[in-house]
């Protein structure tokens, strides 16, 4: 017989027959322990043990009868067992009672010799004596301190209470004891907190157990331990909570025994002690396992064993020293690991049932927590730590996904479409029925419809285990979090302190969540597959999280999605610097991506260029986990961090606007409740979104994804998700504004190279989204352009450490070859992005072009630009169109702004207006200011760009082409007229720098451009022809520049010579125009009615027109102006015959004029 439970059997008493397998001892091999214990107890209680010395145990006295014993029901067995235990306890338990015995009196009992059988059934605690003999468990006898109260005896099988202890007990005399007896008793006291009746060791704080004449040995450890565990909970009221918790007590005993074994010197003198300690460890684990399998059939202390186990696991984070998952000799030697092994060895189904029960308790506790500040049941951190502790045993981790609702219902099922309603918060305590009704109405109105589908974002975080884990954090809409920033407008130091405190707690919690997920994934396929499916489901049901105002009944809380991203980012850590391990075919394999990258339907994910072609290389990676994790993280970031960044930017904009409005009204900003509400939400949003670890990890991942796009084959690139590029652009620009210092810790070289690659003319056809291409340009400007005044991006971000700290814009070879022509192409493409957006984009492109122009590394690229005449003409035409439009808008708005300023300064006039009138004027004024602030930066930068481009002879020659020169001249003269013309004084506004209006700087750039073309006869000719040109205007400009001394001496001389040269050219033009007065109609341009210089034929309408006229038209409209058919410049045919006749006609007219002059 195995000694794990210490069943002593006298074969003369028990006659076992093959049919009576239910009576086998608990730990006999191949038998289930808990099937045996109740039957053995029932057999003993029904008189089987004393049926007769001949061993007859059947009614007929036939020892050889093959009929099995008639079995009693579990309720009958338990009732008899408790009655027997009650009877024995009444005779043997020592206790003090103020009413029944004098203080200090001892109660003793005597026993006869042992019966032929000792059954260590914890439910009975029999020591082998008859019914009227004493049991094994004795409450300790105190001599110096009052004895502990006697536990109330459980009711007997008939429903009455057992008689209370009245007679004193007599301690049993022991026989000869071995020399090691005292040492063993000391170990029993130290480990089990038990002393033996009549033993050599006494202690008033320990529980006293009577084992009769037996000495302490490995054979009776089970009896001692069972006696201790059988004590009624009511008898342990004064004991510590650990003493009253069966699992905690056994775990503590296991740990103490392990510590003693570790410190024990292994030799022949300690062999007996070592065996005893090993037996204690085995027994505590065995009793714990048996109690968990059948909690209602053993000890009263263990009725809620599964809850106790959950509590022990929860205490891991609160008191690591008492952790049941940390073993003295390593993790596998811990009490929890040994317990799991024991459960598995006894009953695998019971093991799974126990683990599922523990996880369910923890899950219920998690459902009551929303923030890291919540302390319900210890808070979220305690519960997640408990789950992690559960998963410390890999086979237990594999069972966790078997809990109910671990995954959302499958799409298309009835459970998925079933509507659920979230419970509304209860009315305040003490509210009257009428107040409760009003409260419910108000809550219902403010919350709206709180119902959600069984497969949705809210169901994910309310119903699933991992959802309840992920939802806990610092949600910005939670009052518990926003209340931490109630005085955000008053005290920045308090805001900083609260932010740091919350971030510290959030990081600890997120670390614990990652440990949990990692434990589940590393448990094997049984844990990894459902966890990754949960992540996939989470992304699928939160497709709408990118909306400007997500539907709260369909998507999860932003904090839930951010926590998901945190975990996925950390799972990507092993390959964060190695994009070569990521297979691009994942996004085109529905079988593997599970629907998160579908390219059709309502939830379609746009591709860079969805041409419908499937890559020839099939998706068959060596490691499927890496691409799965990577692309899950790609999708998660767009739903969480990037979406939250956009929302945060909007909140900041709202806060700034509200502050401005309040200051305009002379209101108290600090006291405004609405302003403080928005400000507290902004601060709460920054806790998690702008946490340094979050920013750094996100940037590192985007650098990884950029490295992946950099190396991906061209056949896969068009099929990549469009948001994969857009997220990189949006987030790095966001980081430059809100977290520039955190960027210093990350290498962003791959992002720069990917932007240059995608902007290059080679990939212009691959990525046709003009808004996305414009964002690539913004990244170059906001992140990689050095020495900008409007942001704080560290030089470590803009410069390449591998190139000696040289800026990426100058050191990268690809940028040197392609970036200048790419930006010229992009300047024209952003025309399609929107009116205000294109101005912002072009202002940034102009700054980039100026920086590249000033560096010798890019000069060769600019030289190559002039070789593509058509491309450059399109770019130059875009510049002039933009400049004309901006100047017209700005020069119209600035006088209006000036008038409103004067009106507001006149308090009498302004006060005389009605509130409605003032509101209308103010609103219009704000619109004008916004438009001017958007337009003027681009005006300034466009003039500067024209200035530095005009210094190059090759580029200047392109501007002097017949189709370009007239437009250039008119644009320059138009700007000059607005700046120094008759109405120039109307442009003087208050604080012009706030609008980026720098008239002196603009005039300097303008006159510098004129000086570059002053010697060009073609430029002089078109100045003379322009309707904007007047001699007085040009002379005034020359005098102003000379007075301001803004031009170099050489440029000033060239500019000052221009009015005289234009005057001479004007006389020649007037003479030529006199010749053309009577020109035939066929020689005149059909649109401009001017004499044609270079007639051409339009094949689409068979019309002859001047080349300059049609070329300028096609720059803005690719259609024949006469029949709207598509037309391009290369389709135009020269009208050679007409041109020859026109030349002959002009020659004849000039000859006639010359002859008249001679006469």
């Amino acid at each position: 017989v195995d000694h794990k439970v210490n069943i002593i059997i006298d074969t003369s008493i028990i006659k076992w027959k093959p049919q009576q397998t239910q009576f086998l001892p608990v730990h006999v091999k191949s038998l289930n322990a808990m099937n045996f214990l109740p039957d053995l107890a029932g057999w003993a209680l029904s008189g089987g043990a004393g049926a007769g010395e001949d061993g007859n145990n059947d009614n007929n006295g036939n020892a050889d009868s093959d009929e099995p014993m008639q079995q009693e029901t579990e309720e009958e067995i338990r009732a008899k067992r408790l009655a027997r235990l009650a009877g024995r306890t009444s005779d043997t338990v020592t206790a003090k009672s103020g009413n029944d015995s004098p203080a200090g009196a001892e109660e003793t009992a005597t026993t006869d010799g042992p019966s032929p059988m000792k059954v260590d059934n914890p439910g009975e605690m029999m020591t082998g004596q008859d019914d009227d003999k004493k049991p094994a468990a004795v409450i300790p006898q105190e001599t110096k301190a009052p004895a502990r109260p006697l536990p109330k005896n459980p009711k007997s099988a008939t429903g009455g209470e057992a008689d209370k202890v009245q007679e004193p007990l007599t301690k049993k005399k022991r026989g000869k004891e071995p020399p090691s007896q005292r040492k063993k008793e000391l170990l029993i006291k130290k480990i089990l907190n038990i002393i033996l009746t009549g033993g050599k060791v006494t202690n008033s704080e320990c529980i006293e157990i009577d084992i009769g004449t037996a000495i302490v040995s490995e054979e009776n450890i089970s009896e001692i331990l069972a006696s201790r565990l059988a004590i009624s909970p009511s008898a342990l009221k004064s004991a510590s909570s650990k003493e009253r918790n069966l699992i905690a007590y056994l775990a503590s005993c296991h740990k103490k025994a392990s510590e003693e074994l570790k410190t024990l010197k292994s030799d022949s003198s300690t062999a007996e002690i070592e065996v005893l300690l090993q037996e204690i460890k085995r027994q505590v684990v065995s009793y714990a396992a048996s109690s968990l399998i059948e909690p209602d059939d053993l000890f009263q202390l263990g009725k809620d064993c599964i809850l106790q186990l959950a509590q022990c696991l929860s205490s891991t984070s609160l008191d690591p020293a008492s952790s049941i998952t940390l073993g003295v000799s390593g993790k596998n030697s811990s009490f929890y690991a040994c317990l799991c092994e024991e459960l598995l060895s006894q009953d695998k189904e019971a093991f799974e049932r126990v683990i599922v029960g523990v996880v369910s308790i923890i899950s219920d506790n998690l459902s009551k927590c929303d923030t890291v500040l919540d302390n319900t049941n210890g808070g979220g951190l305690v519960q997640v730590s408990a789950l992690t502790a559960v998963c410390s045993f890999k086979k237990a981790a594999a069972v966790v996904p078997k809990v109910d609702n671990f995954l959302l219902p499958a799409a298309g099922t009835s459970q998925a479409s079933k509507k659920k309603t979230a419970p509304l918060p209860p009315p305040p305590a003490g509210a009257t029925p009428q107040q409760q009704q009003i409260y419910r109405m108000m809550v219902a109105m403010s919350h709206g419809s709180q119902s959600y589908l069984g497969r949705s974002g809210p169901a994910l975080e309310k119903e699933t285990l991992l959802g309840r884990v992920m939802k806990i954090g610092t949600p910005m809409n939670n009052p518990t979090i926003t209340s931490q920033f109630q005085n955000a407008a008053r005290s920045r130091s308090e805001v900083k302190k609260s932010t740091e405190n919350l971030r510290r707690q959030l990081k600890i919690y997120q670390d614990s969540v990652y440990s949990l997920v990692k434990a589940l994934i590393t448990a094997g396929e049984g844990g990894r597959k459902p966890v990754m499916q949960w992540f996939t489901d989470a992304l699928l049901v939160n497709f709408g999280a990118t909306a400007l105002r997500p539907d709260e009944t369909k998507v999860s809380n932003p904090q839930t999605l951010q926590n998901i991203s945190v975990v996925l980012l950390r799972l990507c850590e092993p390959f964060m610097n190695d994009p070569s391990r990521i297979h691009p075919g994942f996004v085109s394999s529905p079988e593997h991506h599970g629907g998160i990258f579908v390219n059709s339907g309502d939830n379609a994910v746009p591709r860079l260029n969805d041409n419908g072609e499937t890559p020839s290389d099939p998706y068959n990676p060596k490691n499927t986990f890496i691409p799965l994790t990577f692309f899950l993280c790609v999708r998660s970031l767009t739903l969480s961090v990037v979406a939250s960044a956009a929302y945060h930017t909007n909140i900041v904009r709202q806060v700034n606007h509200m502050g401005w409005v309040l200051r305009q009204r002379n209101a108290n900003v600090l006291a405004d409740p609405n302003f403080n509400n928005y400000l507290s939400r902004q601060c709460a949003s920054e806790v998690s979104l702008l946490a340094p670890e979050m920013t750094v990890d996100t940037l590192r991942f985007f650098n990884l994804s950029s490295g992946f796009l950099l190396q991906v084959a061209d056949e896969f690139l068009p099929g990549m998700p469009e948001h994969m590029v857009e997220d990189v652009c949006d987030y790095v620009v966001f980081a430059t504004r809100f977290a520039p210092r955190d960027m210093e810790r990350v290498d962003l070289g791959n992002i720069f190279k990917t932007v240059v690659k995608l902007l290059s003319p080679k990939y212009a056809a691959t990525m046709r989204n003009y808004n996305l291409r414009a964002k690539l340009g913004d990244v170059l400007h906001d992140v990689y352009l050095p020495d900008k005044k409007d942001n704080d991006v560290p030089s470590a971000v803009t410069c390449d450490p591998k190139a000696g700290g040289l800026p990426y814009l100058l050191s990268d070879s690809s940028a040197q070859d392609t970036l200048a022509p790419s930006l010229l192409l992009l300047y024209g493409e952003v025309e399609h992005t929107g009116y205000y957006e294109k101005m912002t984009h072009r202002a940034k492109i102009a700054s980039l072009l100026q920086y590249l122009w000033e560096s010798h590394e890019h000069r060769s690229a600019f030289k190559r630009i002039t070789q593509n005449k058509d491309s450059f003409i399109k770019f130059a035409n875009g510049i002039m169109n933009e400049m004309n439009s901006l100047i017209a808008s700005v020069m119209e708005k600035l006088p209006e702004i000036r008038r409103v300023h004067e009106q507001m300064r006149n308090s009498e006039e302004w006060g005389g207006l009605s509130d409605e009138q003032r509101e209308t004027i103010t609103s219009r004024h704000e619109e004008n200011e916004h438009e001017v602030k958007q337009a003027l930066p681009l005006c300034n930068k466009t003039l500067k760009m024209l200035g530095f481009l005009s210094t190059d002879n090759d580029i200047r020659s392109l501007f002097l082409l017949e189709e370009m020169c007239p437009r250039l001249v008119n644009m320059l003269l138009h700007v000059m007229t607005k700046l120094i013309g008759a109405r120039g004084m109307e442009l003087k506004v208050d604080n012009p720098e706030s609008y980026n209006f720098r008239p002196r700087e603009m005039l300097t750039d303008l006159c510098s451009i004129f000086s570059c073309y002053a010697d060009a006869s073609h430029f002089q000719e078109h100045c003379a022809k322009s309707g904007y040109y007047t001699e007085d205007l040009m002379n005034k400009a020359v005098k102003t520049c000379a007075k301001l001394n803004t031009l170099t001496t050489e440029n000033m001389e060239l500019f000052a010579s221009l009015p005289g040269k234009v005057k001479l050219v004007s006389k020649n033009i007037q003479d030529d125009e006199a010749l053309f007065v009577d020109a035939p109609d066929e020689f005149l341009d059909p649109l401009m009615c001017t004499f044609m210089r270079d007639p051409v034929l339009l094949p689409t309408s068979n019309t002859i027109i001047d080349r300059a006229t049609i070329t300028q038209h096609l720059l803005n409209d690719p259609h024949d102006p006469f029949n709207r058919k598509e037309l391009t410049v290369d389709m135009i045919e020269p009208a050679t015959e007409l041109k020859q006749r026109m030349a002959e006609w002009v020659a004849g007219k000039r000859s006639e004029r010359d002859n008249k002059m001679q006469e």
Side-chain angles (χ1 to χ4, degrees), residues 27 239 280 333 392 401 412 563 720 794 933 999 1028:
H27 285 295
I280 292 176
S333 66
S392 62
N563 284 341
M720 291 299 106
K933 289 178 180 179
Y1028 291 106

Side-chain angles (χ1 to χ4, degrees), residues 809 812-824 849 852-853 855-868 872 949 952 954-955:
L809 286 168
D812 186 73
S813 58
S814 297
Q816 294 173 7
D817 291 338
T818 66
L819 191 52
S822 297
L823 291 175
L824 292 179
L849 285 170
L852 299 183
W853 177 267
S855 63
H856 65 86
E857 292 88 349
H858 291 268
R859 191 53 59 88
S860 59
F862 280 98
K863 291 291 184 183
R864 291 196 300 273
I865 289 173
T866 60
Q867 299 173 8
N868 190 340
F872 183 82
L949 289 176
D952 184 83
D954 295 330
I955 294 178

Side-chain angles (χ1 to χ4, degrees), residues 325-337:
T325 59
L326 298 178
V328 175
S329 303
K331 183 175 66 174
N332 293 332
S333 66
S334 68
F335 172 76
Y336 176 68

Side-chain angles (χ1 to χ4, degrees), residues 122 225-226 228-231 233 236 240-254 283-295 297-309 311-312 324 335 339:
L225 193 57
R228 162 62 180 85
L229 298 178
I231 298 175
L236 297 175
S240 65
S241 59
K242 185 179 292 186
E243 293 283 336
R244 298 192 302 271
N245 184 311
L246 183 143
I247 298 296
Y249 169 73
L250 294 176
S252 174
C253 296
H254 186 275
Q283 290 297 332
V284 296
V285 169
S286 179
Y287 274 118
S290 299
S291 299
L292 286 167
I293 294 173
E294 296 290 343
D297 289 341
L298 293 179
F299 311 108
Q300 292 186 47
L301 289 176
K303 285 184 177 180
D304 56 350
C305 269
I306 293 179
L307 174 62
Q308 293 180 24
L309 179 58
Q311 292 172 344
C312 288
I324 66 172
F335 172 76
L339 177 60

